[in-house]
Structure formats: structure tokens, C-alpha cells
């Protein structure tokens, strides 16, 4: 799609010029355009729609921009193209029009064009007798937007590796795993826990459970569709453009189980409204809905309030951070999977223990560590030792200065976590619902900041330092006796320090 203007032909006649200087000028102009869009539209809008927008080339007065997905292309063309053009014109002479394409799908840069980024070629699988190059594989057809086979319902493909059998269960994910299996095996009567909502940080197993549910439901002969938020939004926008919205809605509502990942990325009033209608239709019809996001429904501020309320009305399960025992189990599982195809690959107990202790962020980093150890073993032929492991996973190990934590941040987080207000924590109220979070906040202030007890007391409504000391000692004693409280306080610490 192009938006035409009326400026003189060619960038070379203006600030852009020709050659390296021209490319430098255009690059600088494009960076100014992005800075202005960020300032004018706000950080949230910019991060959602423009952070991955890149300038590929400028040729003949046409600036060619690229994005990674077709949905982003459609959305920018429909809502922001005129604004981007106007901003670009004000920063660079000779820009007549804009074109937006998907990276890997755009034509090569023209000779003489001021190319800013290299086009990313679309990967092609090698030809084989059993799989002629004239026929695209299923993932390729999905990526290109081709029609999915009958019964597949156009959903994103399920990863064959992500099943319940390959999921490693620990204390932090046991409830989520049990709920997922119960929903997947349910084959009669109204849907259970509807909707089932998982939330967790990156790499803690949300997507693995969603794919596991998808495989189990599909194997039972029931109709299931797995969608990412990006694919849901693209499908809806494309249905509107092709005047097939009714067919899109009927297809979604004729299934047994809808699985939607990364729901926090759903944006746009009409898209959210359709998502809400789909939720209501499926749940009211007794069909199962499973959703995953990076935070609880109540914290999805970008979503419509009615949608948030509907999501919160089912079973909401948080998947906690990985403790050391679970990390060790995940690591062992990955090592065994790799040894199935590389029998000579050996990692000793000391190395495995070091990796499980050193990598604390998430399961994906553990998988990355296994891949690096395998690469070292196969490329050098040398055994994997502690020294080589330290070198291989150095960039995966969290080794940065701890974040400075403010008492105000502690008060806000604890208040939000325990569903009270910060003013309640600072007040003289002595109800149990307020006293416990107040004492936890005082304890965290003592542990995570360098403030003295008198200073902490002043920041908690002018209290005496003995009150703070009493709170600290009480929480210290409680976390030594109550495992659930200990886990809760540890989670709060990590949230404040990350």
C-alpha cells in the first residue's frame, strides 16, 4: 500500500543526497521520525506498533518500511500510515510516499537505492524426494497465510515436542499442570474451570501447557484451535478486509476448545470487542476456553473491563518461578532428550549442578545452556568440564548489580498484591487485612534497602522504630514456619529486584 504526496522526485534532491552521505542522512532522519512518534504517541503505543518498524530503503521518493508480521503491516497501514508519512516528510526532503512490507516478502532493493537494512530472505527447506519443493509444508502455509486444511480451522501449528509427557512438574507449576490435564481429558458435560487462565513470566511453561492441552484434545478427536494473540488479530482484521467476518466468527465458535496465547497483546477496540463476544459465545455454549498471559486478568489494563472480568471469572492459576530442584529436573530432562540423538554427549553431575544453580531466570535459558554445551562437545571433541561450562553459559548467568529498591515501590507492590491501598498501609488501621501486608512491607524495606529502622518507620506513617523491629522479627519467624508465606515473600523480592 502507498500513500502518495506531491514533493519533488527523488530523495537525492533533498537532505538525503546520494551515496554514503545520503544513506547517513536518511538513517538519521528515520531515527528522528521514530523518536518523534515515541514522544507524540506515548511509550505504550510506540512499543506495540512501531518498535519493530524498520526502514529498508529509499528510492525514487518512495520510502520502503518493513515489519515482521502481516498483522502489523495491516494495522499500521490502516491507522498510522498518514501520520508516519507526514512526520517523515518533515524530517527528510523528497519523500513522496511510503510502502510497508513484511520482512522476507519484499522485493530486493533497486539499484542505486539508499538501502538501510538488508532484506531477510525467507528460509526454504531443502528438497527431498518425499517432499517436493513445489508443495509448501504446513508451517510454511500457515506463515504465508494460505488456507489451512479442512478441520485444522486455521490455527497456529502445535509443536510436537510440547506435550504433557515432556512437561517437568515441580512445586511452582503443579497446580497449573493438574488443571491443564483435567481440562484436556474432560470429555463430557459442561466445560471445567471456564475459562482456564494461566499467567507467568517468560519461559516458565505457559506455552508448553497450552500445546500439551492442544495435543491431548486433538488426539481425543475433539475440535481444537490454538491461536497466538497476533494470529487472532490478523485473522479478524483480514476477515473484515475480505468481508468474511461472519465465517471467521462461525469457525471460531464451532470448536470444542479455544486456546489463546499471549492475550496481553490483543489491542484495538473492535478486536477486543470480538474477542469478548467469542469468549461469551463459547463459555455460554459450554465450550472450553484456555488463555495464557504474562500477568493476571486484573492487571491487563489495555483490555476492555468486561473482557478482564470474564477472564477472571474462571480458574486463574499463576505459574511460579523455578526453584533449584525444578531447574535441575528440567535440565536433566533436556540432557536426556539430547543424548537420545547424541549418545556420546556426557555432562557430569558437577556440571549439571552448576548450570542448575547458575541459571535462575527460566526454562528457555536452561535449554539454551544445553545447546551450548552440546555445541562445545561436538565441535571441539573435548569433554564438558566446569571451566568450559562457565565459558559457554556466561551470558546466560545473571551477574548484574542488584537493582536499587525504593520503599515506595515496596509499598505499592505489597498493597497491590494483597488488594489494599498504599494509604491503608500508611494508616493507623489495625485490621488483619492491613496489618499483615504492612508488616511484610516493613520487613522487605529492611531487607532490600539500606534505610535505618527509624527512617523506615517515618516512611510508614511516622511510626516508631520499635514498631518496625517488631514487624521484621514477626515476619522472619513466620516465614521460617510457613512455607507458603516464605514463597510469597521470595516472589515479592524477585519482583522488586528484577
Amino acid at each position: 500500500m502507498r500513500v502518495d504526496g506531491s514533493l519533488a522526485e527523488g530523495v537525492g534532491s533533498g537532505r538525503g543526497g546520494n551515496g554514503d552521505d545520503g544513506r547517513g542522512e536518511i538513517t538519521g532522519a528515520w531515527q528522528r521520525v521514530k523518536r518523534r512518534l515515541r514522544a507524540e504517541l506515548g511509550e505504550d503505543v510506540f512499543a506495540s506498533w512501531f518498535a519493530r518498524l524498520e526502514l529498508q530503503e529509499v528510492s525514487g521518493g518512495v520510502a520502503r518500511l518493513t515489519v515482521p508480521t502481516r498483522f502489523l503491516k495491516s494495522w499500521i497501514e490502516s491507522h498510522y500510515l498518514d501520520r508516519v508519512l507526514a512526520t517523515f516528510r518533515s524530517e527528510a526532503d523528497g519523500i513522496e510516499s511510503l510502502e510497508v512490507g513484511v520482512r522476507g516478502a519484499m522485493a530486493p532493493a533497486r539499484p542505486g537505492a539508499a538501502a538501510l537494512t538488508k532484506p531477510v530472505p525467507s528460509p526454504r527447506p531443502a528438497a527431498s524426494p518425499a517432499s517436493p519443493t513445489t508443495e509448501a509444508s504446513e508451517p510454511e502455509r500457515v506463515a504465508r497465510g494460505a488456507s489451512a486444511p479442512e478441520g485444522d480451522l486455521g490455527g497456529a501449528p502445535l509443536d510436537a515436542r510440547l506435550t504433557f509427557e515432556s512437561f517437568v512438574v515441580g512445586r511452582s507449576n503443579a497446580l497449573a499442570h493438574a488443571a491443564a490435564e483435567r481440562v484436556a481429558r474432560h470429555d463430557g458435560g459442561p466445560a471445567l474451570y471456564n475459562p482456564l487462565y494461566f499467567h507467568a513470566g517468560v519461559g516458565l511453561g505457559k506455552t508448553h501447557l497450552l500445546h500439551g492441552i492442544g495435543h491431548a484434545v486433538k488426539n481425543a478427536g475433539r475440535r481444537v484451535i490454538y491461536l497466538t494473540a497476533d494470529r487472532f488479530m490478523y485473522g479478524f482484521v483480514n476477515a473484515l478486509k475480505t468481508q468474511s467476518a461472519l465465517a471467521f466468527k462461525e469457525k471460531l465458535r464451532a470448536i470444542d476448545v479455544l486456546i489463546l496465547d499471549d492475550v496481553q497483546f490483543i489491542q484495538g477496540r473492535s478486536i477486543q470487542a470480538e474477542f469478548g463476544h467469542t469468549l461469551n459465545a463459547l463459555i455460554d455454549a459450554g465450550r472450553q476456553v484456555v488463555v495464557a498471559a504474562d500477568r493476571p486478568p486484573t492487571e491487563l489494563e489495555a483490555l476492555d473491563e468486561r473482557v478482564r472480568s470474564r477472564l477472571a471469572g474462571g480458574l486463574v492459576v499463576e505459574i511460579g518461578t523455578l526453584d533449584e530442584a525444578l531447574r535441575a529436573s528440567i535440565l536433566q530432562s533436556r540432557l536426556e532428550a539430547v543424548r537420545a540423538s547424541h549418545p556420546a554427549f556426557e555432562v557430569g553431575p558437577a556440571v549439571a549442578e552448576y548450570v542448575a544453580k547458575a541459571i535462575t531466570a527460566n526454562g528457555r535459558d536452561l535449554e539454551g545452556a544445553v545447546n551450548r554445551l552440546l555445541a562445545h562437545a561436538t565441535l571441539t571433541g573435548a569433554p564438558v568440564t566446569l571451566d568450559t561450562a562457565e565459558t559457554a553459559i556466561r551470558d546466560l548467568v545473571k551477574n548484574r548489580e542488584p537493582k536499587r529498591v525504593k520503599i515506595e515501590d515496596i509499598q505499592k507492590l505489597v498493597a497491590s498484591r494483597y488488594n489494599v491501598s498504599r494509604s491503608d498501609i500508611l494508616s493507623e488501621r489495625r485490621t488483619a487485612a492491613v496489618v499483615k501486608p504492612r508488616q511484610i512491607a516493613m520487613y522487605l524495606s529492611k531487607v532490600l534497602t539500606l534505610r535505618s529502622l527509624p527512617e523506615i518507620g517515618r516512611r510508614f506513617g511516622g511510626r516508631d522504630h520499635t514498631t518496625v523491629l517488631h514487624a521484621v522479627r514477626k515476619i522472619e519467624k513466620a516465614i521460617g514456619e510457613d512455607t507458603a508465606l516464605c514463597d510469597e515473600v521470595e516472589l515479592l523480592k524477585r519482583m522488586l529486584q528484577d
Side-chain angles (χ1 to χ4, degrees):
M1 177 176 180
R2 291 178 56 167
V3 177
D4 293 322
S6 57
L7 297 181
E9 176 91 13
V11 177
S13 60
R15 298 180 211 171
N18 293 310
D20 293 338
D21 292 341
R23 285 193 291 273
E25 283 292 330
I26 291 297
T27 301
W30 175 241
Q31 294 306 317
R32 292 194 296 273
V33 169
K34 296 187 79 170
R35 284 196 295 270
R36 282 180 56 181
L37 290 172
R38 185 192 298 270
E40 293 169 6
L41 299 173
E43 184 63 35
D44 288 344
V45 172
F46 181 87
S48 297
W49 307 116
F50 298 102
R52 295 179 287 174
L53 181 65
E54 295 178 3
L55 179 63
Q56 185 191 44
E57 63 164 336
V58 175
S59 176
V62 180
R64 293 179 175 83
L65 312 176
T66 67
V67 289
T69 67
R70 287 175 297 166
F71 171 73
L72 273 178
K73 174 181 183 294
S74 299
W75 190 268
I76 291 172
E77 287 177 344
S78 302
H79 295 83
Y80 292 109
L81 204 61
D82 290 330
R83 185 162 194 161
V84 176
L85 176 62
T87 306
F88 211 159
R89 281 177 172 176
S90 67
E91 294 292 344
D93 295 335
I95 301 295
E96 294 184 4
S97 62
L98 298 180
E99 289 182 355
V100 181
V102 180
R103 282 194 274 283
M106 292 192 70
R110 300 177 186 179
L116 283 303
T117 61
K118 294 180 180 179
V120 181
S122 185
R124 287 181 174 273
S128 68
S131 178
T133 56
T134 53
E135 288 188 24
S137 66
E138 177 61 21
E140 279 188 298
R141 278 184 294 141
V142 171
R144 296 175 191 171
S147 299
E150 191 81 22
D152 185 61
L153 300 175
L158 295 170
D159 190 327
R161 299 169 302 168
L162 304 182
T163 64
F164 285 138
E165 289 72 21
S166 62
F167 188 84
V168 181
V169 182
R171 189 172 63 177
S172 63
N173 60 26
L175 176 60
H177 177 262
E181 278 210 313
R182 179 71 64 85
V183 163
R185 313 295 184 201
H186 183 69
D187 58 357
L192 294 170
Y193 317 133
N194 212 7
L196 175 58
Y197 185 105
F198 298 122
H199 67 96
V202 174
L204 297 181
K206 303 186 303 294
T207 299
H208 194 145
L209 284 179
L210 296 188
H211 282 252
I213 293 172
H215 285 300
V217 171
K218 191 173 181 182
N219 291 340
R222 298 162 67 202
R223 295 166 298 178
V224 58
I225 182 169
Y226 167 77
L227 293 169
T228 59
D230 183 86
R231 192 170 182 84
F232 176 84
M233 292 189 291
Y234 174 76
F236 181 65
V237 171
N238 190 55
L240 292 178
K241 289 173 67 174
T242 58
Q243 299 183 345
S244 59
L246 184 60
F248 175 81
K249 295 176 184 180
E250 289 178 347
K251 181 183 288 186
L252 276 182
R253 297 174 193 184
I255 59 177
D256 297 310
V257 181
L258 171 65
I259 303 173
L260 187 63
D261 203 357
D262 288 328
V263 73
Q264 72 271 10
F265 292 128
I266 292 183
Q267 302 194 32
R269 185 174 301 174
S270 59
I271 295 175
Q272 289 188 17
E274 179 54 36
F275 176 52
H277 296 326
T278 300
L279 270 181
N280 290 334
L282 288 171
I283 293 173
D284 292 345
R287 311 292 174 82
Q288 181 70 57
V289 177
V290 185
V291 176
D294 64 354
R295 68 203 81 155
T298 53
E299 295 179 16
L300 296 173
E301 286 125 6
L303 275 184
D304 180 80
E305 185 177 357
R306 287 169 294 186
V307 176
R308 277 184 280 157
S309 175
R310 193 59 151 160
L311 291 173
L315 176 61
V316 178
V317 183
E318 178 180 14
I319 302 175
T321 53
L322 309 177
D323 58 36
E324 188 177 329
L326 181 54
R327 296 198 301 272
S329 298
I330 292 172
L331 182 63
Q332 195 60 39
S333 171
R334 300 292 183 269
L335 289 171
E336 289 173 2
V338 170
R339 275 196 289 268
S341 53
H342 298 82
F345 178 56
E346 284 294 335
V347 174
V351 174
E353 183 181 0
Y354 164 73
V355 173
K357 285 183 176 178
I359 296 180
T360 60
N362 58 63
R364 288 178 188 158
D365 284 355
L366 287 171
E367 189 160 356
V370 172
N371 290 335
R372 292 169 197 215
L373 296 177
L374 175 64
H376 170 83
T378 54
L379 295 176
T380 66
V384 177
T385 64
L386 272 175
D387 288 340
T388 58
E390 287 177 0
T391 303
I393 68 170
R394 184 177 298 153
D395 64 313
L396 295 175
V397 177
K398 301 293 183 184
N399 192 25
R400 61 180 187 273
E401 287 293 316
K403 175 184 172 184
R404 286 190 63 185
V405 180
K406 298 179 181 177
I407 290 179
E408 290 80 2
D409 295 336
I410 294 172
Q411 292 168 343
K412 289 177 183 176
L413 177 62
V414 172
S416 170
R417 194 77 182 173
Y418 286 91
N419 201 27
V420 296
S421 66
R422 182 169 172 251
S423 60
D424 286 334
I425 288 179
L426 302 182
S427 73
E428 296 296 326
R429 292 181 58 193
R430 295 181 180 275
T431 60
V434 175
V435 169
K436 181 181 177 182
R438 181 189 293 142
Q439 290 177 335
I440 290 175
M442 288 180 176
Y443 168 79
L444 291 172
S445 298
K446 178 65 174 68
V447 172
L448 299 179
T449 76
L450 300 176
R451 302 293 183 184
S452 65
L453 293 178
E455 174 62 17
I456 294 172
R458 283 193 293 272
R459 305 291 278 275
F460 278 81
R463 286 175 164 79
D464 188 79
H465 76 280
T466 57
T467 304
V468 180
L469 182 59
H470 170 73
V472 171
R473 287 176 175 170
K474 185 167 183 178
I475 296 302
E476 283 178 343
K477 183 174 184 291
I479 61 179
E481 300 170 348
D482 186 343
T483 305
L485 179 62
C486 179
D487 291 344
E488 178 73 14
V489 172
E490 284 299 316
L491 176 61
L492 289 169
K493 282 183 185 178
R494 292 191 185 190
M495 293 173 72
L496 287 162
Q497 291 174 322
D498 286 347

